[in-house]
């Protein structure tokens, strides 16, 4: 074992830890602690000791070691993200790098003394040497286990490997060359690019030795790939209903009960709530499952073309009809016809549809011949169809025929328990589609997904997650910014003061903001701008910058969507 010391003899020094401490938020009233976007736990050393003891006895020493190396590894990946976010732009690479050891100390795991640190990203050179004082893993050993004949600071070592590799973008490995846990005078680690260690391949095995985790990940991604593959052949994956909430299961149950009958089903629900998926479910659960499923979005077809789309056209029926072709009804023969946005049908199309349903036969536009059709109708609307019937825009006789079995599809905000499930589903799908493997959602991103009002329902969720996967990319967490395009840290809560005691976040960070605000107010007063004009300008700008998205604008203004909606409408801006 060789020991190198820094050539210039200067010990690296930590940058001021204040910027990191400010990322630590205690929300005692809500039972939460946050570090950046990650929710943290404050747990007893004794608990960790009992856990480690049990893992060693369950898995054996060798696998337990790998297990804890990986546990630390995961933590290191997350901290490297935080380090780059907080300090990546503003500090030298060495100072930014020292965030990791600082975070390790902040967490109370160990006191890290940097002995040597050489980073040259251009040449891919790295050499790091650190002493660990008061390692919690040594403390655990002293309590529970008899002395081992090898180093014991596993989790910390895994952390160092992951943190350095992720931070520097090249594989770095560490060895604990001395450890108090095996009777040495101190704990000391050395880190170098993996290929500079002779046994680097063997060591890397620790991070994938336990077949369970990697194999599960591997299987998961293979399943997602296969599902996608199968879906391409069968077109089914997009139609798989997903959810466990009572509201969703209730609707699904109603669909399944009606599926085998021939009764027309009318699906009611907001845009994007998954009505087509439910229509397809009715088709699949019916005796017509082997037949075709044909979907028509009535709102997407120009009114003067809807009849020829639905019923087909005979050659020469009108200029341009140079060839006869079948309509959607004929193509759905023996299967199910899904009429989405039913309320948008023109009066003529309504009349033709009613005739087709009554006589079970259709005539193509411009044709003489009747075609018998055997089609099960599932219709859907997001508007209030009854209202349209009352003011004469929708035929009552057609409405009552189609409204035989109405099913209400709940909006996403009424099935919040399904959000995680749906989010994971779309995540797997888009990871497979874009060939990336993210670290999943940050805790805060998931929390925001759960509270978002979802005016666009599942379609909106799907779009956000696609965006999140693209923005996060390989090996990163999908954070709130990637999903919603902004990154507000909760302004409430408490932070650690310089002395380590809890103080109000506003007291700590509000000083500068207060000064800025005062300056802004002064210039507004000097400019003779009225409060009313100021409010209007502020609302207008927030609304415009949010791309006319009221929810997003409301988040920026720190107000509820309803409150902003009210103000915009009051001013005639919406
Ligand atoms: Zn040690």
């Amino acid at each position: 074992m060789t020991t190198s010391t820094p050539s210039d003899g200067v010990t690296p020094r930590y940058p001021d830890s204040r910027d990191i401490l400010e990322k630590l938020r205690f929300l005692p009233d809500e039972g939460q602690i946050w570090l950046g976007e990650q929710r943290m736990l404050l747990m007893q050393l004794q608990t960790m000791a009992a856990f480690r003891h049990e893992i060693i006895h369950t898995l054996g020493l060798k696998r337990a070691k790998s297990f804890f190396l990986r546990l630390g590894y995961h933590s290191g990946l997350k901290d490297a993200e935080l380090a780059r976010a907080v300090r990546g732009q503003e500090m030298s690479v060495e100072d930014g790098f020292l965030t990791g050891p600082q975070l390790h100390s902040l967490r109370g795991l160990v006191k890290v003394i940097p002995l040597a640190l050489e980073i040259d990203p251009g040449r891919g050179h790295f050499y790091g040497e650190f002493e660990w004082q008061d390692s919690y893993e040594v403390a655990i050993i002293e309590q529970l286990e008899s002395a081992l004949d090898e180093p014991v600071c596993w989790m910390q070592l895994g952390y160092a490997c992951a943190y350095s590799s992720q931070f520097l973008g090249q594989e770095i490995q560490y060895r604990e060359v001395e450890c108090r846990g095996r009777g040495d005078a101190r704990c000391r680690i050395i880190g170098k690019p993996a290929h500079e260690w002779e046994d680097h391949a063997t060591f890397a095995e620790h991070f994938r030795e336990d077949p369970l985790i990697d194999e599960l990940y591997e299987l998961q991604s293979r399943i997602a790939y296969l599902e996608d593959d199968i879906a391409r052949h069968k077109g089914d994956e997009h139609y798989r209903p997903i959810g466990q909430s009572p509201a969703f299961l209730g609707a699904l149950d109603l669909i399944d009960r009606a599926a085998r009958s021939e009764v027309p089903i009318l699906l009611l629900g907001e845009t994007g709530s998954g009505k087509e998926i439910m229509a397809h479910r009715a088709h699949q659960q019916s005796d017509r499952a082997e037949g075709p499923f044909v979907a028509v979005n009535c709102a997407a077809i120009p009114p003067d073309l809807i009849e020829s789309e639905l019923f087909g056209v005979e050659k020469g029926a009108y200029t341009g009809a140079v060839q006869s072709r079948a309509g959607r009804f004929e193509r759905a023969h023996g299967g199910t016809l899904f009429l989405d946005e039913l309320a948008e049908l023109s009066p003529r199309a309504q009349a033709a549809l009613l005739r087709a349903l009554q006589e079970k036969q259709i005539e193509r536009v411009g044709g003489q011949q009747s075609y018998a059709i055997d089609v099960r109708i599932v219709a859907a609307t997001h508007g209030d169809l009854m209202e349209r019937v009352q003011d004469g825009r929708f035929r009552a006789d057609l409405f009552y025929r189609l409204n035989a079995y109405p099913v209400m599809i709940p909006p996403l905000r009424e099935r919040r328990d399904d959000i995680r499930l749906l989010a994971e589903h779309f995540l797997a799908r888009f990871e497979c589609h874009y060939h990336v493997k993210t670290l999943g959602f940050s805790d805060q991103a998931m929390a925001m997904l759960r509270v978002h009002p979802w005016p666009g329902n599942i379609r909106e969720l799907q779009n956000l997650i696609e965006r999140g996967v693209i923005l996060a990319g390989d090996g990163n967490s999908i954070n709130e910014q990637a999903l919603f395009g902004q990154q507000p840290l909760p302004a409430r809560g408490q932070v650690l003061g310089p002395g380590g005691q809890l103080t109000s976040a506003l007291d700590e960070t509000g000083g500068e903001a207060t000064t800025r605000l005062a300056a802004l107010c002064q210039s507004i007063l000097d400019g003779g701008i009225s409060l009313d004009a100021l409010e209007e300008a502020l609302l207008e700008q927030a609304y415009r910058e949010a791309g006319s998205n009221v929810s997003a604008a409301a988040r920026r203004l720190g107000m509820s969507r309803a409150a902003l909606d009210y103000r915009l409408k009051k001013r005639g801006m919406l």
Side-chain angles (χ1 to χ4, degrees):
M1 217 89 38
T2 58
T3 307
S4 12
T5 43
S7 47
D8 56 3
V10 177
T11 307
R13 293 177 63 100
Y14 286 121
D16 191 334
S17 60
R18 208 176 164 80
D19 53 347
I20 311 177
L21 289 174
E22 277 174 0
K23 294 285 171 197
L24 187 61
R25 289 281 186 277
F26 288 84
L27 306 174
D29 294 339
E30 291 169 41
Q32 296 175 3
I33 306 172
W34 290 83
L35 180 61
E37 289 214 0
Q38 298 300 328
R39 185 168 167 186
M40 308 296 287
L41 300 174
L42 198 58
M43 72 193 281
Q44 299 94 337
L45 181 74
Q46 296 278 354
T47 310
M48 194 60 183
F51 176 61
R52 177 163 166 143
H53 192 64
E54 190 170 330
I55 292 288
I56 289 174
H57 282 256
T58 310
L59 298 180
L61 199 62
K62 192 159 168 272
R63 299 183 82 166
K65 177 179 175 181
S66 298
F67 177 86
F68 282 101
L69 275 164
R70 281 197 298 277
L71 202 58
Y73 197 89
H74 198 71
S75 172
L77 288 183
K78 296 280 183 188
D79 275 4
E81 274 193 329
L82 179 68
R84 278 206 310 246
V86 176
R87 292 175 166 178
Q89 307 295 326
E90 290 156 21
M91 293 189 182
S92 67
V93 63
E94 287 83 5
D95 281 356
F97 180 85
L98 286 172
T99 312
Q102 270 184 302
L103 283 167
H104 235 172
S105 297
L106 171 68
R107 293 227 182 84
L109 303 181
V110 64
K111 178 174 178 182
V112 189
I113 314 285
L115 301 176
L117 182 60
E118 301 163 18
I119 307 177
D120 184 346
R123 287 195 301 129
H125 170 70
F126 177 84
Y127 180 83
E129 189 174 340
F130 302 88
E131 181 180 342
W132 281 338
Q133 291 181 357
D134 286 325
S135 154
Y136 87 97
E137 290 184 283
V138 172
I140 283 176
I141 296 287
E142 287 167 348
Q143 283 181 19
L144 284 175
E145 294 155 26
S146 47
L148 299 176
D149 55 6
E150 60 170 311
V152 302
C153 302
W154 303 330
M155 219 174 122
Q156 299 170 121
L157 196 67
Y159 176 97
C161 294
Y163 177 82
S164 305
S165 302
Q166 178 84 353
F167 187 89
L168 298 168
Q170 71 178 112
E171 195 189 347
I172 305 291
Q173 284 186 3
Y174 284 81
R175 301 289 185 276
E176 190 174 9
V177 294
E178 293 176 76
C179 181
R180 279 182 52 225
R182 68 164 180 202
D184 295 330
R186 58 178 183 168
C187 293
R188 186 168 60 89
I189 59 166
I190 290 178
K192 294 190 283 194
H195 62 85
E196 292 181 23
W197 295 100
E198 238 173 59
D199 59 342
H200 67 92
T202 320
F203 184 79
E205 286 295 304
H206 284 300
F207 298 108
R208 56 181 84 92
E209 186 168 37
D210 192 334
L212 282 175
I213 288 180
D214 275 337
E215 205 169 302
L216 281 178
Y217 276 134
E218 173 67 21
L219 285 173
Q220 200 180 31
S221 85
R222 268 168 59 191
I223 287 170
Y225 177 78
L226 287 173
E227 274 183 349
D228 208 51
D229 202 41
I230 292 167
R232 267 196 293 278
H233 292 293
K234 291 181 67 185
D236 279 353
E237 170 60 8
H238 288 287
Y239 292 120
R240 187 157 64 88
I242 289 168
Q244 307 178 325
S245 64
F248 174 77
L249 292 179
L252 198 62
D253 181 53
L254 285 175
I255 300 280
D256 286 353
R257 283 165 192 253
R260 295 193 140 233
S261 73
E262 290 288 297
V263 63
I265 298 175
L266 181 62
L267 302 173
L268 308 164
E270 293 176 8
T271 302
S273 56
K275 295 191 288 289
E276 182 163 354
I277 282 165
M278 293 306 226
H280 196 261
R281 170 76 169 200
H283 172 68
Q284 284 214 305
Q285 298 293 102
S286 75
D287 297 334
R288 300 170 171 270
E290 295 299 310
F293 174 83
V294 176
V296 187
N297 184 340
C298 301
I301 300 170
D304 50 340
L305 290 183
I306 188 85
E307 274 180 274
S308 51
E309 272 300 315
L310 286 179
F311 305 113
V313 67
E314 220 53 91
K315 184 176 170 180
Y318 51 80
T319 322
V322 291
Q323 213 160 10
S324 299
R325 62 183 156 88
R328 311 279 176 109
F329 257 96
E330 278 177 76
R331 276 189 264 149
H333 184 66
T336 305
L337 180 64
F338 173 52
L339 298 172
D340 201 0
E341 306 286 6
L342 180 73
E344 302 305 318
L345 278 187
S346 68
R348 264 183 48 182
Q350 289 177 32
L353 176 58
L354 180 66
R355 204 162 52 242
L357 294 179
Q358 281 169 339
E359 296 166 11
K360 296 192 187 304
Q361 55 186 21
I362 54 118
E363 279 172 17
R364 291 178 178 176
V365 175
Q368 309 294 323
Q369 197 190 342
S370 292
Y371 296 85
I373 41 133
D374 170 27
V375 165
R376 201 274 179 85
I377 300 282
V378 178
T381 178
H382 73 272
D384 187 348
L385 207 52
M386 194 61 216
E387 198 177 275
R388 284 178 177 251
V389 170
Q390 275 160 1
D391 60 24
R393 281 179 295 160
F394 200 87
R395 295 179 66 114
D397 42 9
L398 181 59
F399 172 74
Y400 287 114
R401 198 166 249 281
L402 293 175
N403 192 37
Y405 194 88
V407 177
M408 185 72 204
I409 311 300
L412 189 52
R413 65 182 172 279
E414 285 173 21
R415 38 184 295 213
R416 292 196 183 276
D417 289 347
D418 292 339
I419 289 173
R420 175 177 288 273
L421 215 56
L422 286 160
E424 299 288 354
H425 166 76
F426 290 130
L427 175 64
R429 189 153 115 198
F430 289 122
E431 280 185 343
C432 177
H433 183 80
Y434 291 107
H435 301 288
V436 296
K437 185 80 195 129
T438 70
L439 295 181
F441 301 101
S442 78
D443 296 328
Q444 182 158 321
M446 185 50 82
M448 290 309 294
L449 287 176
R450 286 189 62 92
V451 300
H452 186 70
W454 299 116
N457 290 294
I458 298 173
R459 195 171 303 149
E460 183 186 3
L461 174 69
Q462 180 180 338
N463 292 344
L464 280 191
I465 289 173
E466 181 167 16
R467 170 194 155 96
V469 168
I470 294 168
L471 287 181
D474 246 335
N476 296 305
S477 301
I478 300 178
N479 59 22
E480 187 187 353
Q481 187 172 23
L483 291 175
F484 295 97
Q486 56 184 343
Q487 194 171 25
L489 191 72
R492 58 222 164 85
Q494 293 171 304
V495 300
L496 276 188
Q501 74 279 34
L502 293 181
T503 55
S504 156
L506 291 175
D507 292 348
E508 274 300 306
T509 58
E512 194 194 336
T514 308
T515 316
R516 280 213 321 260
L517 191 58
L520 184 61
C521 290
Q522 192 57 53
S523 72
I524 288 165
L525 291 172
D526 293 346
I529 299 164
S530 73
L531 182 60
D532 190 56
L534 175 66
E535 185 187 272
E536 177 150 336
L538 193 59
L539 294 179
E540 207 271 330
Q541 185 158 346
Y543 182 58
R544 185 161 37 81
E545 285 185 5
S548 303
N549 180 326
V550 180
S551 301
R555 272 199 302 275
R556 287 200 67 181
L557 290 164
M559 58 203 296
S560 73
R561 187 192 187 283
L564 179 60
D565 193 66
Y566 171 78
R567 286 180 197 225
L568 290 174
K569 279 185 177 143
K570 200 173 103 184
R571 291 176 177 278
M573 294 161 69
L574 201 63

